[in-house]
Amino acid sequence: MTPTERRGRATEAFFGRRKGKPLRELQTERMSHVLPALKIDLSATPPADLKTLFNVPVERLRLEIGFGGGEHIVHRATESPATGFIGVEPFVNSMAKLLARVEETGLKNIRVYDDDATQLLDWLPDGSIDQIDLLYPDPWPKKRHFKRRFVSQVNLERFHRVLKPGGSFCFASDIDTYVNWTLLHCRDHGGFAWTAKYASDWITPYAGWPGTRYEAKAKREGRTSAYLTFRRV
Ligand SMILES: C[S@@+](CC[C@H](N)C(=O)[O-])C[C@H]1O[C@@H](n2cnc3c(N)ncnc32)[C@H](O)[C@@H]1O
């Protein structure tokens, strides 16, 4: 598939809500002024060096799919100013929240995309991304909905194409069946090596982990989480 063919694709992996409460005036204002400045324009050809998407010099690129409240991406972007972060979130209220945080903090190393992540993935050049974070993706716990899960062979192939060799795919979830699902899908794909060395690794949060809003909810409801890291081979 050529980049042009890939770009024409409609939403295919988003099944959630796009809107919640009506936005407040300031949020609406940010959506019309700040979002266009930060949003990646998929109608343009990707730059030869993707790092030039950022107005500050960056050495690495990291993609977070479904950033929700944005607490993780803001934390990581603050602690790693030499990394360029691309955050994807189709839920309008979450995007408005992130834009407010970016304005407050003045972070320059965040760009965003406000629709289905598969569209952005298909736009990204081969081997351009150092790390993909998929943190608490929508769990779709009922068997008849498993096919809606973001982790699928098609999306793992997308990850494999855009990740640099040796790049990382990090997956966190509190849903046992989704954790098993991801381990099996990555094994069957063959292009991802699970990096766990010790039995405790998969229940040990990532270094510097700030938690996420969804994780806090899972904890309150008595569910524990797994934190998987795969190396792109
Ligand atoms: C369960 S929430 C978790 C949010 C956040 N990562 C956290 O841990 O708090 C899953 C998020 O993924 C987003 N999402 C679902 N499908 C998506 C897709 N195809 N592309 C990008 N984001 C998606 C949803 O809008 C939602 O905000």
Side-chain angles (χ1 to χ4, degrees):
M1 210 183 331
T2 67
T4 320
E5 282 166 342
R6 289 199 296 262
R7 239 177 283 145
R9 202 176 272 285
T11 292
E12 66 178 53
F14 182 66
F15 302 95
R17 284 189 313 157
R18 279 182 193 270
K19 282 187 183 150
K21 278 193 256 172
L23 298 182
R24 293 189 300 273
E25 205 180 315
L26 197 56
Q27 290 179 311
T28 308
E29 171 79 2
R30 274 194 208 102
M31 289 298 275
S32 46
H33 291 101
V34 185
L35 180 59
L38 295 186
K39 179 175 169 166
I40 296 184
D41 175 10
L42 302 198
S43 68
T45 306
D49 179 0
L50 209 62
K51 298 193 206 82
T52 60
L53 284 176
F54 296 86
N55 287 332
V56 287
V58 296
E59 291 156 11
R60 298 180 78 245
L61 293 175
R62 194 160 158 178
L63 168 66
E64 182 169 334
I65 296 176
F67 57 70
E71 47 292 307
H72 181 263
I73 193 169
V74 168
H75 178 88
R76 295 301 189 191
T78 307
E79 75 176 9
S80 305
T83 298
F85 288 80
I86 302 176
V88 188
E89 180 51 69
F91 188 56
V92 173
N93 303 66
S94 294
M95 181 58 80
K97 207 174 283 174
L98 178 73
L99 298 181
R101 293 288 289 134
V102 169
E103 256 197 349
E104 267 163 45
T105 55
L107 284 166
K108 298 274 183 280
N109 55 337
I110 296 187
R111 297 287 312 257
V112 298
Y113 186 64
D114 61 347
D115 207 331
D116 183 354
T118 62
Q119 298 169 0
L120 178 84
L121 284 162
D122 287 347
W123 178 85
L124 290 170
D126 294 2
S128 56
I129 299 289
D130 293 274
Q131 181 165 334
I132 295 176
D133 295 305
L134 184 61
L135 306 173
Y136 297 94
D138 287 335
W140 300 112
K142 292 186 184 143
K143 205 166 181 185
R144 69 171 187 279
H145 289 148
F146 280 4
K147 56 181 176 300
R148 295 183 176 185
R149 287 176 167 175
F150 198 86
V151 175
S152 64
Q153 287 305 331
V154 177
N155 283 341
L156 285 179
E157 190 45 38
R158 288 183 160 113
F159 287 1
H160 195 260
R161 185 184 67 76
V162 305
L163 277 172
K164 291 181 183 164
S168 304
F169 162 40
C170 294
F171 171 94
S173 179
D174 57 314
I175 304 298
D176 295 354
T177 62
Y178 204 171
V179 174
N180 293 339
W181 168 278
T182 300
L183 284 168
L184 293 177
H185 274 70
C186 285
R187 185 201 64 189
D188 293 348
H189 180 278
F192 296 91
W194 187 22
T195 60
K197 287 201 180 72
Y198 305 103
S200 61
D201 278 8
W202 68 302
I203 48 164
T204 306
Y206 306 112
W209 176 244
T212 72
R213 178 178 291 228
Y214 187 90
E215 178 179 77
K217 180 169 176 276
K219 270 190 192 150
R220 282 196 304 275
E221 293 171 4
R223 291 188 301 281
T224 51
S225 296
Y227 308 88
L228 309 180
T229 303
F230 301 92
R231 189 170 37 80
R232 189 266 199 219
V233 287

